[in-house]
Amino acid sequence: MTAIVDRVRCGRPVFSVEFLPPRDADGERQLWRAVRELEPLDPAFVSVTYGAGGSRRDRTIRVTGRINQETTLVPVAHLTAVNHSIAELRNIIGWYAAVGVHNVLALRGDPPGDPMGEWVRHPQGVTYAEELVRLVRELGDFCVGVAAFPYGHPRSIDLDEDTRFLVRKLRAGAHYAVSQLFFDVEDFLRLRDRLVEHGVDVEQVPLLPGMMPITSLKGVQRMAHLAGAPVPATVTERIERYADDPAALRAEGVDIATEMGRRLLDEGVNALHFYTLNRSTATREVVARLSLVPSRA
């Protein structure tokens, strides 16, 4: 087993990427093109989401297994509690283990159809992500990650409560956490500070920043809305000036992501996580600029 936490704590700065499960055959071809383009760069891991509300979980399971069996990449399987009984969760975890996938990102998940809607527990399921963490850890030798929220989970009363929930997930057995999207490095660093104040050793239990190079105005607005991530005025001003020039806007977005990555590395963050939307070019450019590619790549 290759544990993600070992890949992240390897003694040099690294990066990881997240993919979406494809909607159709064309989407699957695009996904595999991105996988093959990123593979030579040796990311610490690649994760595949469940899709909104777990809507594409069968594709997620199949793609994750295929990445593990057909590439040199280390896949992380997303797993949510949405619409799953404990028996179903046990079956999915067992399937992952059977195909050699031993790294899992345990998430409660969003309500199907409306990420901001009321979350309803499956009658035979679990209520919180920390329960899912415990379940995965009980079922085998898994390395488990969880989600972290720089601005707080939408259903948390405030940042203090949100931090307490994150700490509970980590103490339930999670090995690391990956943050939701953000565009202000200070917001991520304050999240890290809150964990340290609660006694979390972020050297042993890494907190990875979730980043996305801006490549289109509509795309960043949509992602920021879904993640509850405010886009600072300084960033908005920089990209809006190129609203009528897609190539220049994309170049500015890569510049912004590079600047954010460099600041994070300077602050002692040794692993950057990129949300790719199944496109690799912008991420590869940022990774190259930050010298996160091993010399043999």
Side-chain angles (χ1 to χ4, degrees):
M1 169 186 168
T2 301
I4 294 308
V5 73
D6 293 332
R7 295 278 291 170
V8 169
R9 298 186 316 216
C10 66
R12 65 173 176 84
V14 297
F15 77 101
S16 56
V17 297
E18 180 173 292
F19 295 122
L20 305 173
R23 294 179 181 273
D24 50 32
D26 287 342
E28 186 139 357
R29 283 190 289 272
Q30 174 60 50
L31 167 64
W32 283 99
R33 184 158 51 247
V35 167
R36 294 304 184 185
E37 288 170 348
L38 285 162
E39 184 175 11
L41 307 187
D42 191 30
F45 65 88
V46 299
S47 65
V48 184
T49 75
Y50 238 37
S55 57
R56 282 173 271 165
R57 64 192 180 206
D58 291 341
R59 287 180 183 267
T60 299
I61 293 169
R62 177 168 54 81
V63 169
T64 305
R66 187 178 167 193
I67 288 174
N68 188 65
Q69 294 172 330
E70 299 182 16
T71 77
T72 60
L73 298 168
V74 178
V76 171
H78 280 222
L79 181 67
T80 80
V82 176
N83 289 342
H84 280 320
S85 67
I86 290 177
E88 289 171 334
L89 291 169
R90 287 176 178 272
N91 286 337
I92 294 171
I93 296 165
W95 188 92
Y96 281 138
V99 296
V101 175
H102 290 274
N103 293 283
V104 174
L105 193 68
L107 312 162
R108 188 175 78 165
D110 295 324
D114 181 7
M116 301 305 295
E118 182 182 358
W119 196 90
V120 179
R121 171 185 175 272
H122 187 286
Q124 287 82 46
V126 299
T127 302
Y128 297 108
E130 67 178 279
E131 298 173 84
L132 193 54
V133 171
R134 290 193 184 95
L135 178 64
V136 176
R137 292 297 307 271
E138 289 169 2
L139 292 177
D141 187 16
F142 289 93
C143 178
V144 184
V146 294
F149 301 87
Y151 307 103
H153 191 281
R155 295 170 187 81
S156 291
I157 296 173
D158 53 33
L159 290 178
D160 287 338
E161 180 187 72
D162 186 78
T163 304
R164 289 194 295 272
F165 275 110
L166 175 54
V167 171
R168 284 169 57 175
K169 290 190 288 188
L170 298 175
R171 290 178 177 163
H175 297 87
Y176 67 98
V178 181
S179 89
Q180 281 277 24
L181 188 65
F182 63 91
F183 294 98
D184 188 332
V185 170
E186 285 299 321
D187 294 328
F188 174 83
L189 295 176
R190 298 295 76 77
L191 169 60
R192 187 177 67 171
D193 289 345
R194 292 195 296 275
L195 282 181
V196 172
E197 289 169 1
H198 279 74
V200 175
D201 184 346
V202 293
E203 295 292 329
Q204 294 300 312
V205 185
L207 174 65
L208 280 61
M211 303 171 56
M212 187 182 75
I214 298 170
T215 57
S216 75
L217 200 54
K218 286 185 178 179
V220 71
Q221 290 170 342
R222 179 176 179 276
M223 289 295 293
H225 172 71
L226 290 174
V231 182
T234 51
V235 172
T236 302
E237 291 168 3
R238 288 179 63 174
I239 61 175
E240 283 187 342
R241 75 179 74 167
Y242 301 115
D244 298 321
D245 188 342
L249 188 152
R250 181 190 174 284
E252 188 72 11
V254 170
D255 285 345
I256 291 169
T258 303
E259 293 164 15
M260 290 176 61
R262 188 167 292 118
R263 169 79 191 286
L264 289 162
L265 294 172
D266 288 344
E267 290 285 347
V269 177
N270 285 325
L272 309 180
H273 187 68
F274 290 91
Y275 298 109
T276 68
L277 301 182
N278 294 1
R279 299 289 191 276
S280 72
T281 305
T283 296
R284 286 188 285 124
E285 290 178 18
V286 175
V287 164
R289 290 189 188 186
L290 295 174
S291 302
L292 298 179
V293 181
S295 57
R296 63 180 177 78

